[in-house]
Amino acid sequence: MASWKLTLPCTRAEAEAIDFETPALAEINPPPVLMTSERVEDDPDSWQLEAYFEGKPNSAALAAVAALVPSAAGTRLVAKRIAEQDWVTLSQAGIEPVHAGRFYVHTETNKGVVPAGAKPFRIDAGIAFGTGTHETTSGCLIALGEHRARGANVRNLLDLGTGTGLLAFAAMHLWPRAYATASDIDPRSIEVTAENAAINGVALGEGAGQLALAAAAGLEHPLLIGRAPYDLIIANILAGPLVELAPTVAMALAEGGTLLVAGLLEGQADIVAQAYRRQGLRLAGRIDRGHWPTLRLVKRRRHGADRVTRRSRGRGEAPGFGSW
């Protein structure tokens, strides 16, 4: 059977928010293979969605895909016939492995030779953001390695907006006895993280050396609240949510704790840093990968009744934890 491809413009935010479980897509038999990528490097408004179909898609199938990216409204929906291919395998083969600091990230098909001393993780390209190929993710991987090299002792960490789970896995490798938590606003990302944990031998659970998972907007979840404060929070999301979440994230971070933020463009770094400075964090370091900075912020130590103290390792309640 011949293959067909539909290409639509979109934004990075739309690409990350695509719901692959929407009933409209489930009605397409077989469902299309979807791929998102940058059309213009480092421009979050210039991404594209490619949908590959087995057999010529009808108008309903095209409309179902177009509905995933509202900014493409008005674009003519024309699928082009292409040579028959295994598009899943092709999508993996087009991705190069990434060596970032202490880590080496690859897919099922491109592992190659792991560099000496590097910890490999297999993260296949798919429906969640964070495969290691983008500068925001690789910048966080490097920042994590540098944090460990400085002698940081992390006992309780949170990967906020985990995507594929990669950054949580990397942090757990560096601090194997830490209590680790990963959350995402998209429940499907939590499913992907669980799948990737199994592939990479990462134990799930709520004990030391295990990864606890939660689908949550911001920190609005009993598990996330109950396990605070964290001495390391990683947040590779977008500048807007980072600014809006600043009071919540600062409250969840222990005094003297470290916050790594990414997902922002070069021109947004000062705005994000200022938002956290208002919450008592200071900018302690920065890594630039292309036009994508990763910021390291440290919460200043304070004294008195306003100090955040850990209640328990279980689920609890606390005021002031909101969503974006």
Side-chain angles (χ1 to χ4, degrees):
M1 184 179 294
S3 298
W4 296 72
K5 180 175 78 168
L6 172 67
T7 303
L8 295 172
C10 67
T11 66
R12 175 188 166 187
E14 288 174 334
E16 294 180 12
I18 287 176
D19 180 6
F20 289 76
E21 301 299 320
T22 180
L25 286 183
E27 293 177 1
I28 305 173
N29 187 24
V33 173
L34 303 182
M35 296 170 55
T36 59
S37 60
E38 291 178 305
R39 287 187 298 149
V40 179
E41 186 177 1
D42 297 339
D43 184 351
D45 293 325
S46 297
W47 281 52
Q48 68 182 11
L49 168 65
E50 294 173 304
Y52 296 91
F53 301 86
E54 291 185 22
K56 185 175 182 180
N58 58 28
S59 58
L62 296 177
V65 172
L68 300 173
V69 285
S71 66
T75 302
R76 189 181 176 200
L77 303 182
V78 178
K80 296 182 178 179
R81 184 171 179 168
I82 53 179
E84 189 172 1
Q85 300 266 10
D86 179 349
W87 295 111
V88 174
T89 300
L90 182 63
S91 69
Q92 304 294 343
I95 297 175
E96 294 296 325
V98 174
H99 185 198
R102 300 183 180 211
F103 304 101
Y104 182 77
V105 188
H106 62 89
T107 68
E108 183 180 14
T109 60
N110 72 357
K111 183 174 182 179
V113 179
V114 179
K119 169 63 177 178
F121 288 109
R122 173 185 151 188
I123 304 291
D124 294 330
I127 67 174
F129 183 76
T131 60
T133 59
H134 198 276
E135 288 86 347
T136 59
T137 309
S138 59
C140 285
L141 291 172
I142 293 171
L144 284 169
E146 292 183 353
H147 193 48
R148 180 67 180 84
R150 282 187 290 270
N153 180 22
V154 174
R155 294 168 295 178
N156 190 30
L157 66 93
L158 169 65
D159 181 10
L160 180 65
T162 191
T164 63
L166 172 59
L167 297 179
F169 304 163
M172 293 175 70
H173 171 70
L174 297 173
W175 296 280
R177 296 303 301 162
Y179 289 83
T181 311
S183 70
D184 202 283
I185 195 171
D186 182 1
R188 184 66 182 111
S189 286
I190 296 303
E191 295 175 6
V192 169
T193 296
E195 293 165 2
N196 286 335
I199 290 171
N200 290 281
V202 176
L204 299 182
E206 296 186 15
Q210 297 178 321
L211 180 63
L213 301 177
L219 281 93
E220 200 168 279
H221 192 286
L223 176 69
L224 305 184
I225 296 170
R227 291 167 74 92
Y230 303 92
D231 42 28
L232 173 64
I233 297 178
I234 312 154
N236 180 17
I237 45 180
L238 296 171
L242 282 171
V243 170
E244 190 170 347
L245 284 168
T248 299
V249 171
M251 183 179 295
L253 187 64
E255 291 183 6
T258 294
L259 169 66
L260 300 179
V261 299
L264 51 146
L265 287 163
E266 190 174 25
Q268 300 169 326
D270 289 343
I271 297 171
V272 172
Q274 184 179 32
Y276 284 89
R277 201 156 40 236
R278 294 193 188 103
Q279 305 301 324
L281 278 71
R282 63 178 178 85
L283 181 62
R286 171 172 171 161
I287 294 172
D288 288 287
R289 302 277 288 177
H291 298 290
W292 301 88
T294 299
L295 306 183
R296 178 170 63 91
L297 301 117
V298 176
K299 186 173 180 178
R300 300 180 187 276
R301 296 185 183 276
R302 297 177 294 178
H303 303 279
D306 290 337
R307 295 182 65 185
V308 177
T309 56
R310 185 186 307 280
R311 293 186 171 194
S312 69
R313 292 246 181 239
R315 293 173 172 82
E317 297 293 338
F321 289 81
S323 69
W324 68 79

